Amino acid sequence: DMTQNASGSERRKAQRVWLRRPGQLVVLRGLRGTSTMPCKVINTSKGGALLQVEGAAADVPDDFYLTISGQPDKRLICSVVRRGKRLLGVRFIAQPDYEVRVSTSYS
């Protein structure tokens, strides 16, 4: 249930930021291929985000990368924790401190 209730279900540690910005899901297809799906990042917190996809949320795999408009170089590793019809609740998986380059081309 993605709706808020009056008794304050906003008791979460991290403050939510309402972005409503476009983003892209980057889905790994096999070892080298990726495909992208447009989405809207409705809100985000340090630990995760609420995403709206254009197609059915059921078609989105459990794990993917997220890029947010304006930060194309930053890929967040996401794991789905809630699914609605078109809404996905995801949590961010901590990335290692060293630089990980996810690339489809090996130049």
Side-chain angles (χ1 to χ4, degrees):
D1 182 37
M2 304 249 175
T3 57
Q4 301 300 316
N5 59 37
S7 66
S9 54
E10 282 297 300
R11 284 192 220 99
R12 47 179 70 210
K13 295 185 288 292
Q15 183 65 39
R16 245 189 249 196
V17 182
W18 292 88
L19 280 186
R20 297 188 183 86
R21 271 165 79 181
Q24 279 199 323
L25 312 185
V26 181
V27 178
L28 294 177
R29 306 278 182 202
L31 284 177
R32 287 189 171 70
T34 59
S35 64
T36 58
M37 302 169 69
C39 72
K40 183 183 267 183
V41 183
I42 295 176
N43 66 44
T44 180
S45 67
K46 193 163 165 48
L50 182 63
L51 311 176
Q52 182 179 335
V53 292
E54 293 185 356
D59 296 339
V60 177
D62 289 338
D63 300 287
F64 53 83
Y65 295 97
L66 171 68
T67 60
I68 299 175
S69 172
Q71 307 173 312
D73 299 336
K74 193 173 173 200
R75 289 194 179 192
L76 300 158
I77 304 170
C78 294
S79 185
V80 176
V81 290
R82 293 199 311 275
R83 281 179 203 269
K85 242 188 179 61
R86 290 179 58 200
L87 291 174
L88 290 170
V90 300
R91 73 188 163 91
F92 298 144
I93 307 300
Q95 305 202 31
D97 292 334
Y98 55 86
E99 190 64 33
V100 178
R101 294 200 188 286
V102 180
S103 170
T104 50
S105 65
Y106 294 87
S107 50

